[in-house]
Short mmCIF file of all heavy atoms in Angstrom, two decimals:
data_model
loop_
_atom_site.label_atom_id
_atom_site.label_comp_id
_atom_site.label_asym_id
_atom_site.label_seq_id
_atom_site.Cartn_x
_atom_site.Cartn_y
_atom_site.Cartn_z
N ALA A 1 -5.06 -8.22 4.55
CA ALA A 1 -5.84 -9.26 5.17
C ALA A 1 -5.84 -9.17 6.68
O ALA A 1 -6.85 -9.34 7.40
CB ALA A 1 -5.31 -10.63 4.73
N GLY A 2 -4.66 -8.89 7.25
CA GLY A 2 -4.53 -8.71 8.72
C GLY A 2 -5.40 -7.56 9.20
O GLY A 2 -6.02 -7.68 10.26
N ARG A 3 -5.43 -6.49 8.45
CA ARG A 3 -6.20 -5.32 8.88
C ARG A 3 -7.72 -5.61 8.81
O ARG A 3 -8.49 -5.21 9.69
CB ARG A 3 -5.82 -4.13 8.01
CG ARG A 3 -6.40 -2.79 8.55
CD ARG A 3 -5.64 -1.59 8.02
NE ARG A 3 -5.38 -1.68 6.62
CZ ARG A 3 -4.17 -1.96 6.04
NH1 ARG A 3 -3.13 -2.17 6.83
NH2 ARG A 3 -4.03 -2.01 4.79
N VAL A 4 -8.14 -6.27 7.73
CA VAL A 4 -9.59 -6.62 7.64
C VAL A 4 -9.93 -7.66 8.73
O VAL A 4 -10.99 -7.48 9.40
CB VAL A 4 -9.86 -7.28 6.24
CG1 VAL A 4 -11.27 -7.77 6.17
CG2 VAL A 4 -9.60 -6.24 5.15
N ALA A 5 -9.12 -8.62 8.99
CA ALA A 5 -9.40 -9.60 10.04
C ALA A 5 -9.44 -9.01 11.41
O ALA A 5 -10.13 -9.48 12.28
CB ALA A 5 -8.41 -10.69 9.98
N ALA A 6 -8.67 -7.88 11.61
CA ALA A 6 -8.61 -7.31 12.94
C ALA A 6 -9.73 -6.34 13.22
O ALA A 6 -9.85 -5.85 14.35
CB ALA A 6 -7.26 -6.54 13.09
N ALA A 7 -10.57 -6.02 12.24
CA ALA A 7 -11.69 -5.13 12.46
C ALA A 7 -12.60 -5.65 13.52
O ALA A 7 -12.98 -6.83 13.49
CB ALA A 7 -12.41 -4.89 11.12
N THR A 8 -12.98 -4.80 14.43
CA THR A 8 -13.80 -5.20 15.58
C THR A 8 -15.24 -4.83 15.45
O THR A 8 -16.07 -5.17 16.33
CB THR A 8 -13.16 -4.71 16.91
OG1 THR A 8 -13.15 -3.30 16.82
CG2 THR A 8 -11.84 -5.31 17.14
N THR A 9 -15.57 -3.98 14.45
CA THR A 9 -16.96 -3.59 14.28
C THR A 9 -17.32 -3.75 12.80
O THR A 9 -16.46 -3.85 11.94
CB THR A 9 -17.20 -2.10 14.59
OG1 THR A 9 -16.47 -1.30 13.63
CG2 THR A 9 -16.76 -1.78 15.99
N GLU A 10 -18.64 -3.90 12.55
CA GLU A 10 -19.07 -4.17 11.19
C GLU A 10 -18.72 -2.97 10.27
O GLU A 10 -18.28 -3.14 9.13
CB GLU A 10 -20.57 -4.37 11.13
CG GLU A 10 -21.12 -4.72 9.74
CD GLU A 10 -22.58 -5.08 9.70
OE1 GLU A 10 -23.20 -5.02 10.80
OE2 GLU A 10 -23.07 -5.40 8.65
N ALA A 11 -18.79 -1.74 10.79
CA ALA A 11 -18.47 -0.57 9.96
C ALA A 11 -16.96 -0.59 9.65
O ALA A 11 -16.63 -0.31 8.47
CB ALA A 11 -18.81 0.69 10.78
N ALA A 12 -16.11 -0.90 10.60
CA ALA A 12 -14.67 -0.86 10.31
C ALA A 12 -14.32 -2.01 9.36
O ALA A 12 -13.48 -1.81 8.43
CB ALA A 12 -13.86 -1.06 11.64
N TYR A 13 -14.96 -3.16 9.49
CA TYR A 13 -14.73 -4.25 8.66
C TYR A 13 -15.19 -3.96 7.20
O TYR A 13 -14.44 -4.20 6.21
CB TYR A 13 -15.52 -5.47 9.17
CG TYR A 13 -15.71 -6.62 8.17
CD1 TYR A 13 -14.64 -7.46 7.85
CD2 TYR A 13 -16.94 -6.89 7.65
CE1 TYR A 13 -14.84 -8.54 6.99
CE2 TYR A 13 -17.14 -7.97 6.80
CZ TYR A 13 -16.08 -8.77 6.46
OH TYR A 13 -16.24 -9.86 5.59
N THR A 14 -16.38 -3.34 7.01
CA THR A 14 -16.90 -3.01 5.72
C THR A 14 -15.99 -1.98 5.04
O THR A 14 -15.68 -2.14 3.83
CB THR A 14 -18.30 -2.40 5.83
OG1 THR A 14 -19.13 -3.39 6.42
CG2 THR A 14 -18.84 -2.03 4.47
N GLN A 15 -15.48 -1.03 5.77
CA GLN A 15 -14.59 -0.01 5.18
C GLN A 15 -13.29 -0.65 4.77
O GLN A 15 -12.77 -0.37 3.66
CB GLN A 15 -14.35 1.14 6.19
CG GLN A 15 -13.44 2.19 5.65
CD GLN A 15 -13.26 3.33 6.68
OE1 GLN A 15 -13.52 3.18 7.79
NE2 GLN A 15 -12.71 4.46 6.19
N ALA A 16 -12.69 -1.50 5.59
CA ALA A 16 -11.40 -2.06 5.36
C ALA A 16 -11.49 -3.01 4.14
O ALA A 16 -10.63 -2.95 3.25
CB ALA A 16 -10.92 -2.84 6.58
N ARG A 17 -12.44 -3.85 4.09
CA ARG A 17 -12.51 -4.81 2.97
C ARG A 17 -12.89 -4.08 1.63
O ARG A 17 -12.42 -4.45 0.60
CB ARG A 17 -13.42 -5.95 3.24
CG ARG A 17 -14.89 -5.78 3.12
CD ARG A 17 -15.69 -7.00 3.49
NE ARG A 17 -17.09 -7.01 3.17
CZ ARG A 17 -17.57 -7.42 1.99
NH1 ARG A 17 -16.78 -7.90 1.07
NH2 ARG A 17 -18.88 -7.33 1.73
N GLY A 18 -13.68 -3.04 1.77
CA GLY A 18 -14.02 -2.26 0.62
C GLY A 18 -12.83 -1.61 -0.08
O GLY A 18 -12.72 -1.55 -1.26
N ALA A 19 -11.89 -1.11 0.77
CA ALA A 19 -10.65 -0.51 0.28
C ALA A 19 -9.79 -1.49 -0.46
O ALA A 19 -9.19 -1.21 -1.48
CB ALA A 19 -9.89 0.15 1.41
N VAL A 20 -9.75 -2.72 0.03
CA VAL A 20 -8.96 -3.76 -0.60
C VAL A 20 -9.56 -4.15 -1.98
O VAL A 20 -8.85 -4.24 -2.95
CB VAL A 20 -8.85 -5.04 0.29
CG1 VAL A 20 -8.06 -6.10 -0.47
CG2 VAL A 20 -8.18 -4.66 1.59
N VAL A 21 -10.84 -4.32 -2.01
CA VAL A 21 -11.53 -4.75 -3.24
C VAL A 21 -11.41 -3.58 -4.28
O VAL A 21 -11.15 -3.84 -5.45
CB VAL A 21 -13.01 -5.05 -2.99
CG1 VAL A 21 -13.75 -5.30 -4.29
CG2 VAL A 21 -13.15 -6.28 -2.11
N ALA A 22 -11.53 -2.35 -3.82
CA ALA A 22 -11.37 -1.22 -4.75
C ALA A 22 -9.95 -1.23 -5.36
O ALA A 22 -9.80 -0.88 -6.54
CB ALA A 22 -11.66 0.07 -4.04
N PHE A 23 -8.92 -1.58 -4.53
CA PHE A 23 -7.59 -1.61 -5.06
C PHE A 23 -7.39 -2.74 -6.03
O PHE A 23 -6.71 -2.57 -7.04
CB PHE A 23 -6.60 -1.76 -3.88
CG PHE A 23 -5.15 -1.63 -4.25
CD1 PHE A 23 -4.65 -0.48 -4.90
CD2 PHE A 23 -4.28 -2.66 -4.01
CE1 PHE A 23 -3.34 -0.38 -5.25
CE2 PHE A 23 -2.96 -2.60 -4.36
CZ PHE A 23 -2.47 -1.40 -4.96
N LEU A 24 -8.01 -3.86 -5.75
CA LEU A 24 -7.89 -5.01 -6.68
C LEU A 24 -8.56 -4.63 -8.02
O LEU A 24 -8.07 -4.98 -9.10
CB LEU A 24 -8.58 -6.22 -6.10
CG LEU A 24 -7.89 -6.88 -4.88
CD1 LEU A 24 -8.69 -8.04 -4.35
CD2 LEU A 24 -6.45 -7.27 -5.24
N ASP A 25 -9.72 -3.94 -7.95
CA ASP A 25 -10.42 -3.47 -9.20
C ASP A 25 -9.50 -2.48 -9.93
O ASP A 25 -9.39 -2.56 -11.21
CB ASP A 25 -11.72 -2.80 -8.86
CG ASP A 25 -12.87 -3.78 -8.69
OD1 ASP A 25 -12.83 -4.82 -9.32
OD2 ASP A 25 -13.73 -3.50 -7.86
N GLU A 26 -8.80 -1.61 -9.19
CA GLU A 26 -7.89 -0.62 -9.80
C GLU A 26 -6.74 -1.36 -10.55
O GLU A 26 -6.38 -1.06 -11.68
CB GLU A 26 -7.35 0.31 -8.76
CG GLU A 26 -6.31 1.30 -9.26
CD GLU A 26 -5.68 2.09 -8.16
OE1 GLU A 26 -6.33 2.36 -7.14
OE2 GLU A 26 -4.50 2.44 -8.30
N LEU A 27 -6.19 -2.33 -9.87
CA LEU A 27 -5.08 -3.10 -10.50
C LEU A 27 -5.56 -3.88 -11.71
O LEU A 27 -4.89 -3.97 -12.72
CB LEU A 27 -4.47 -4.07 -9.49
CG LEU A 27 -3.73 -3.44 -8.31
CD1 LEU A 27 -3.32 -4.49 -7.34
CD2 LEU A 27 -2.53 -2.60 -8.79
N ASP A 28 -6.80 -4.43 -11.62
CA ASP A 28 -7.31 -5.18 -12.73
C ASP A 28 -7.49 -4.28 -13.98
O ASP A 28 -7.12 -4.67 -15.12
CB ASP A 28 -8.69 -5.78 -12.34
CG ASP A 28 -9.17 -6.76 -13.32
OD1 ASP A 28 -8.55 -7.84 -13.50
OD2 ASP A 28 -10.24 -6.49 -13.99
N ALA A 29 -7.97 -3.05 -13.77
CA ALA A 29 -8.15 -2.09 -14.85
C ALA A 29 -6.74 -1.67 -15.38
O ALA A 29 -6.59 -1.52 -16.55
CB ALA A 29 -8.91 -0.88 -14.41
N ARG A 30 -5.77 -1.46 -14.51
CA ARG A 30 -4.44 -1.08 -14.91
C ARG A 30 -3.83 -2.13 -15.83
O ARG A 30 -3.11 -1.76 -16.75
CB ARG A 30 -3.56 -0.85 -13.66
CG ARG A 30 -2.13 -0.42 -13.91
CD ARG A 30 -1.34 -0.41 -12.62
NE ARG A 30 0.00 0.08 -12.86
CZ ARG A 30 0.50 1.26 -12.40
NH1 ARG A 30 -0.37 2.08 -11.72
NH2 ARG A 30 1.71 1.64 -12.64
N LEU A 31 -4.09 -3.39 -15.55
CA LEU A 31 -3.48 -4.45 -16.33
C LEU A 31 -4.20 -4.83 -17.64
O LEU A 31 -3.80 -5.76 -18.34
CB LEU A 31 -3.37 -5.71 -15.41
CG LEU A 31 -2.34 -5.56 -14.31
CD1 LEU A 31 -2.54 -6.60 -13.21
CD2 LEU A 31 -0.93 -5.66 -14.81
N ALA A 32 -5.27 -4.12 -17.91
CA ALA A 32 -6.03 -4.35 -19.13
C ALA A 32 -5.20 -4.07 -20.40
O ALA A 32 -5.38 -4.73 -21.40
CB ALA A 32 -7.31 -3.49 -19.12
N ASP A 33 -4.28 -3.10 -20.30
CA ASP A 33 -3.56 -2.72 -21.51
C ASP A 33 -2.07 -2.77 -21.33
O ASP A 33 -1.29 -2.14 -22.09
CB ASP A 33 -3.94 -1.30 -21.96
CG ASP A 33 -3.64 -0.24 -20.93
OD1 ASP A 33 -3.17 -0.57 -19.83
OD2 ASP A 33 -3.86 0.96 -21.25
#
């Protein structure tokens, strides 16, 4: 959250938050079974 909030450009922000959401999706899939 701190890294996403600290992004100073739209590109950096999009990349940072995309990495977090991808990790949450990965964890969600991991916990399916």
Side-chain angles (χ1 to χ4, degrees):
R3 190 159 46 255
V4 174
T8 57
T9 66
E10 183 174 3
Y13 165 72
T14 300
Q15 181 178 14
R17 79 181 190 91
V20 178
V21 173
F23 187 59
L24 294 177
D25 277 328
E26 177 189 327
L27 293 175
D28 192 64
R30 181 186 184 108
L31 290 163
D33 62 356

